[in-house]
Amino acid sequence: MNPEQYVQDKAAASGSSFYYAFLFLPKPRRAAITAFYAFCREVDDVVDEVSDPGVAATKLAWWRTEVAQAFAGTPHHPVMQALMPHVAAYGIEARQLDQVIEGCQMDLEQTRYLDFPGLARYCHLVAGVVGEVAARIFGQTEAQTTAYAHKLGLALQLTNIIRDVGEDALRGRIYLPVNDLQKHEVKAHEILNRVHSERFVALMKFQAQRAHAAYDEALALLPAADRRAQKPGLMMASIYRTLLREIERDDFQVLNQRVSLTPVRKLWLAWKVQALGRL
């Protein structure tokens, strides 16, 4: 299997909504974003799939070395072999890949966040920086588009956190800020034991409002000159915000099940943005 096929299979196998946004890109940009997304999946899988934190830390350290060696001209992993031909064309920097790894490292060291600013820093590393790189690959021409990409990354990650509360609880992780739990009188053990309550619903409504505000702020930041080029990001906004609204309609039943959209619906939402420019 060549590196290009490896990253294509990695992206498709993830079942992520990102895959649908990539389908409409010209081939060179699609190849670049697919390779970058595969890199993000690789390092994220280290944290989610390796049960021993020491082994996971060692693997992340290996990835840091691999990034340094790849940017020095000797990539070894097929993901980096697929990505490196695109870094010059799209201004991808080693520091950005290192920041994504740093965000994954936080998952090994931290299972709680005291407040939203602390959580926002984590979101910046695992999603905002991803948005920054993606915006460049999609064809960014305006400096302000970076701010849009960071804010959209935050919105998407907050949606992920809301969707995955139950799954994260099984791993002993709670991404909802501690002071938000205290404000809504929800105990950590209730989430870890996946106890649904009116207090939990009130807490999650507050989290959803924060995510919706981030979507609104992101869309307001996107310069008109870059709107066409940034359609893949707008597709993601449409898919994820639709998912968020489904979760809201389902009364935040996220502790014991995973709410998701069908592949056909994701493709339809992506196509609407591509063809009609509508979210």
Side-chain angles (χ1 to χ4, degrees):
M1 184 186 300
N2 64 34
E4 289 70 27
Q5 189 60 52
Y6 181 94
V7 297
Q8 176 65 32
D9 289 354
K10 186 77 178 178
S14 73
S16 169
S17 302
F18 285 83
Y19 182 70
Y20 297 89
F22 302 164
L23 294 175
F24 299 92
L25 284 168
K27 190 174 180 179
R29 296 187 192 278
R30 189 167 71 244
I33 194 64
T34 299
F36 175 64
Y37 178 70
F39 165 81
C40 295
R41 292 284 356 135
E42 288 284 350
V43 295
D44 190 56
D45 287 349
V46 169
V47 175
D48 287 343
E49 296 177 3
V50 179
S51 56
D52 186 320
V55 173
T58 299
K59 289 195 171 193
L60 289 181
W62 182 90
W63 273 105
R64 285 194 187 89
T65 301
E66 171 65 5
V67 168
Q69 291 178 341
F71 275 82
T74 54
H76 299 96
H77 195 282
V79 160
M80 297 307 296
Q81 290 171 350
L83 179 61
M84 291 313 295
H86 304 288
V87 298
Y90 302 114
I92 302 169
E93 302 170 35
R95 71 160 178 89
Q96 295 165 322
L97 305 192
D98 287 336
Q99 286 178 314
V100 174
I101 296 171
E102 182 185 346
C104 292
Q105 182 78 33
M106 287 180 71
D107 276 330
L108 298 181
E109 301 167 351
Q110 194 167 344
T111 58
R112 303 286 191 279
Y113 292 88
L114 293 177
D115 53 25
F116 181 65
L119 179 63
R121 178 178 176 272
Y122 167 78
C123 291
H124 171 72
L125 293 171
V126 299
V129 175
V130 174
E132 178 184 318
V133 174
R136 292 184 185 182
I137 293 172
F138 297 155
Q140 173 180 352
T141 63
E142 300 287 331
Q144 187 176 315
T145 298
T146 299
Y148 145 82
H150 286 163
K151 189 64 71 171
L152 179 59
L154 174 64
L156 298 177
Q157 189 63 25
L158 291 177
T159 304
N160 272 340
I161 288 169
I162 292 167
R163 179 195 64 194
D164 295 341
V165 170
E167 289 182 12
D168 290 330
L170 291 174
R171 297 187 177 105
R173 298 181 195 153
I174 301 175
Y175 290 97
L176 308 173
V178 170
N179 64 354
D180 289 347
L181 268 69
Q182 293 171 338
K183 177 182 174 183
H184 292 89
E185 300 180 341
V186 174
K187 304 296 185 186
H189 71 80
E190 294 178 279
I191 292 178
L192 294 175
N193 292 319
R194 297 187 290 166
V195 177
H196 192 83
S197 66
E198 289 184 5
R199 288 172 290 108
F200 175 77
V201 172
L203 168 67
M204 297 309 289
K205 284 181 177 177
F206 178 75
Q207 304 303 318
Q209 289 168 0
R210 178 180 278 153
H212 280 303
Y215 283 113
D216 290 339
E217 289 167 24
L219 296 176
L221 284 167
L222 179 59
D226 272 356
R227 188 174 176 86
R228 180 181 292 274
Q230 298 301 320
K231 275 186 177 181
L234 296 176
M235 291 174 192
M236 292 306 308
S238 179
I239 292 170
Y240 268 67
R241 206 167 192 181
T242 299
L243 172 64
L244 180 57
R245 288 171 177 141
E246 285 289 316
I247 292 170
E248 289 173 307
R249 275 193 286 270
D250 203 27
D251 201 31
F252 297 96
Q253 297 289 340
V254 291
L255 286 167
N256 296 288
Q257 65 186 36
R258 182 185 176 96
V259 181
S260 61
L261 305 181
T262 66
V264 170
R265 192 169 181 194
K266 291 176 184 177
L267 189 59
W268 164 245
L269 291 167
W271 180 84
K272 272 206 309 183
V273 173
Q274 177 66 21
L276 308 176
R278 290 210 308 265
L279 283 113

Short mmCIF file of all heavy atoms in Angstrom, two decimals, residues 27-49:
data_model
loop_
_atom_site.label_atom_id
_atom_site.label_comp_id
_atom_site.label_asym_id
_atom_site.label_seq_id
_atom_site.Cartn_x
_atom_site.Cartn_y
_atom_site.Cartn_z
N LYS A 27 -8.40 17.86 -6.61
CA LYS A 27 -7.56 16.72 -6.21
C LYS A 27 -6.34 17.10 -5.36
O LYS A 27 -6.08 16.45 -4.34
CB LYS A 27 -7.13 15.94 -7.46
CG LYS A 27 -6.46 14.62 -7.13
CD LYS A 27 -6.18 13.81 -8.38
CE LYS A 27 -5.51 12.49 -8.03
NZ LYS A 27 -5.25 11.67 -9.24
N PRO A 28 -5.54 18.13 -5.72
CA PRO A 28 -4.35 18.44 -4.90
C PRO A 28 -4.72 18.85 -3.47
O PRO A 28 -4.07 18.43 -2.51
CB PRO A 28 -3.69 19.60 -5.65
CG PRO A 28 -4.21 19.50 -7.05
CD PRO A 28 -5.60 18.98 -6.93
N ARG A 29 -5.75 19.67 -3.32
CA ARG A 29 -6.19 20.09 -1.98
C ARG A 29 -6.77 18.90 -1.22
O ARG A 29 -6.57 18.77 -0.01
CB ARG A 29 -7.20 21.24 -2.07
CG ARG A 29 -6.63 22.52 -2.68
CD ARG A 29 -7.62 23.67 -2.58
NE ARG A 29 -7.21 24.80 -3.38
CZ ARG A 29 -6.33 25.73 -3.00
NH1 ARG A 29 -5.75 25.65 -1.83
NH2 ARG A 29 -6.02 26.73 -3.81
N ARG A 30 -7.51 18.06 -1.92
CA ARG A 30 -8.09 16.88 -1.27
C ARG A 30 -6.99 15.95 -0.78
O ARG A 30 -7.08 15.40 0.32
CB ARG A 30 -9.02 16.14 -2.24
CG ARG A 30 -9.82 15.02 -1.56
CD ARG A 30 -10.95 14.52 -2.44
NE ARG A 30 -10.45 13.77 -3.59
CZ ARG A 30 -10.60 14.11 -4.86
NH1 ARG A 30 -11.23 15.23 -5.18
NH2 ARG A 30 -10.14 13.35 -5.84
N ALA A 31 -5.95 15.79 -1.57
CA ALA A 31 -4.82 14.94 -1.16
C ALA A 31 -4.14 15.51 0.09
O ALA A 31 -3.78 14.76 1.02
CB ALA A 31 -3.82 14.80 -2.30
N ALA A 32 -3.97 16.83 0.12
CA ALA A 32 -3.30 17.47 1.26
C ALA A 32 -4.12 17.35 2.53
O ALA A 32 -3.60 16.99 3.60
CB ALA A 32 -3.02 18.94 0.94
N ILE A 33 -5.42 17.66 2.46
CA ILE A 33 -6.25 17.63 3.67
C ILE A 33 -6.46 16.20 4.14
O ILE A 33 -6.53 15.93 5.34
CB ILE A 33 -7.60 18.35 3.45
CG1 ILE A 33 -8.30 18.63 4.79
CG2 ILE A 33 -8.52 17.58 2.52
CD1 ILE A 33 -7.57 19.57 5.72
N THR A 34 -6.51 15.25 3.22
CA THR A 34 -6.66 13.85 3.61
C THR A 34 -5.43 13.38 4.37
O THR A 34 -5.54 12.68 5.40
CB THR A 34 -6.89 12.96 2.37
OG1 THR A 34 -8.09 13.38 1.72
CG2 THR A 34 -7.03 11.49 2.76
N ALA A 35 -4.24 13.75 3.90
CA ALA A 35 -3.01 13.37 4.59
C ALA A 35 -2.93 14.03 5.97
O ALA A 35 -2.56 13.38 6.97
CB ALA A 35 -1.79 13.76 3.75
N PHE A 36 -3.29 15.31 6.05
CA PHE A 36 -3.26 16.00 7.34
C PHE A 36 -4.28 15.41 8.30
O PHE A 36 -3.98 15.19 9.48
CB PHE A 36 -3.52 17.50 7.15
CG PHE A 36 -3.62 18.25 8.44
CD1 PHE A 36 -2.52 18.34 9.30
CD2 PHE A 36 -4.81 18.86 8.82
CE1 PHE A 36 -2.61 19.02 10.51
CE2 PHE A 36 -4.90 19.54 10.03
CZ PHE A 36 -3.81 19.62 10.87
N TYR A 37 -5.47 15.13 7.80
CA TYR A 37 -6.50 14.53 8.66
C TYR A 37 -6.04 13.16 9.16
O TYR A 37 -6.27 12.80 10.32
CB TYR A 37 -7.82 14.42 7.91
CG TYR A 37 -8.90 13.77 8.73
CD1 TYR A 37 -9.45 14.44 9.82
CD2 TYR A 37 -9.34 12.48 8.45
CE1 TYR A 37 -10.43 13.84 10.60
CE2 TYR A 37 -10.31 11.88 9.23
CZ TYR A 37 -10.85 12.56 10.30
OH TYR A 37 -11.82 11.96 11.07
N ALA A 38 -5.39 12.37 8.30
CA ALA A 38 -4.89 11.06 8.70
C ALA A 38 -3.86 11.20 9.81
O ALA A 38 -3.82 10.39 10.75
CB ALA A 38 -4.30 10.32 7.51
N PHE A 39 -3.01 12.24 9.73
CA PHE A 39 -2.05 12.51 10.81
C PHE A 39 -2.80 12.75 12.12
O PHE A 39 -2.46 12.18 13.17
CB PHE A 39 -1.18 13.72 10.47
CG PHE A 39 -0.43 14.27 11.65
CD1 PHE A 39 0.76 13.68 12.07
CD2 PHE A 39 -0.92 15.36 12.36
CE1 PHE A 39 1.44 14.18 13.18
CE2 PHE A 39 -0.25 15.86 13.46
CZ PHE A 39 0.94 15.27 13.87
N CYS A 40 -3.82 13.59 12.08
CA CYS A 40 -4.59 13.90 13.29
C CYS A 40 -5.23 12.64 13.86
O CYS A 40 -5.27 12.44 15.08
CB CYS A 40 -5.66 14.94 12.99
SG CYS A 40 -5.00 16.56 12.51
N ARG A 41 -5.74 11.76 12.98
CA ARG A 41 -6.34 10.51 13.44
C ARG A 41 -5.30 9.62 14.10
O ARG A 41 -5.56 8.99 15.12
CB ARG A 41 -6.98 9.75 12.27
CG ARG A 41 -8.18 10.39 11.65
CD ARG A 41 -9.49 10.28 12.40
NE ARG A 41 -9.48 9.50 13.60
CZ ARG A 41 -10.06 9.89 14.73
NH1 ARG A 41 -10.61 11.08 14.81
NH2 ARG A 41 -10.08 9.13 15.79
N GLU A 42 -4.12 9.55 13.50
CA GLU A 42 -3.07 8.68 14.05
C GLU A 42 -2.73 9.07 15.49
O GLU A 42 -2.67 8.21 16.38
CB GLU A 42 -1.80 8.75 13.19
CG GLU A 42 -1.91 8.06 11.84
CD GLU A 42 -1.83 6.54 11.91
OE1 GLU A 42 -1.50 5.99 12.99
OE2 GLU A 42 -2.09 5.90 10.88
N VAL A 43 -2.49 10.36 15.72
CA VAL A 43 -2.07 10.77 17.07
C VAL A 43 -3.24 10.71 18.04
O VAL A 43 -3.06 10.38 19.22
CB VAL A 43 -1.40 12.17 17.06
CG1 VAL A 43 -0.10 12.13 16.28
CG2 VAL A 43 -2.32 13.25 16.51
N ASP A 44 -4.45 10.98 17.58
CA ASP A 44 -5.62 10.89 18.44
C ASP A 44 -5.88 9.44 18.83
O ASP A 44 -6.25 9.15 19.97
CB ASP A 44 -6.84 11.47 17.73
CG ASP A 44 -8.03 11.63 18.66
OD1 ASP A 44 -7.88 12.30 19.70
OD2 ASP A 44 -9.11 11.08 18.36
N ASP A 45 -5.67 8.52 17.90
CA ASP A 45 -5.88 7.10 18.19
C ASP A 45 -4.92 6.58 19.25
O ASP A 45 -5.24 5.64 19.98
CB ASP A 45 -5.73 6.26 16.91
CG ASP A 45 -6.91 6.42 15.97
OD1 ASP A 45 -7.93 7.01 16.39
OD2 ASP A 45 -6.81 5.97 14.81
N VAL A 46 -3.74 7.18 19.33
CA VAL A 46 -2.79 6.77 20.38
C VAL A 46 -3.43 6.92 21.75
O VAL A 46 -3.36 6.02 22.60
CB VAL A 46 -1.49 7.62 20.31
CG1 VAL A 46 -0.63 7.38 21.55
CG2 VAL A 46 -0.71 7.28 19.05
N VAL A 47 -4.11 8.04 21.97
CA VAL A 47 -4.71 8.31 23.27
C VAL A 47 -5.95 7.44 23.50
O VAL A 47 -6.17 6.92 24.59
CB VAL A 47 -5.08 9.81 23.38
CG1 VAL A 47 -5.81 10.09 24.68
CG2 VAL A 47 -3.83 10.66 23.28
N ASP A 48 -6.76 7.27 22.45
CA ASP A 48 -8.03 6.56 22.61
C ASP A 48 -7.88 5.04 22.64
O ASP A 48 -8.70 4.35 23.24
CB ASP A 48 -8.99 6.96 21.49
CG ASP A 48 -9.53 8.37 21.67
OD1 ASP A 48 -9.42 8.90 22.79
OD2 ASP A 48 -10.07 8.93 20.70
N GLU A 49 -6.84 4.52 21.99
CA GLU A 49 -6.74 3.07 21.81
C GLU A 49 -5.65 2.40 22.64
O GLU A 49 -5.66 1.18 22.79
CB GLU A 49 -6.53 2.75 20.33
CG GLU A 49 -7.72 3.17 19.46
CD GLU A 49 -7.49 2.91 17.99
OE1 GLU A 49 -6.42 2.35 17.64
OE2 GLU A 49 -8.37 3.26 17.18
#
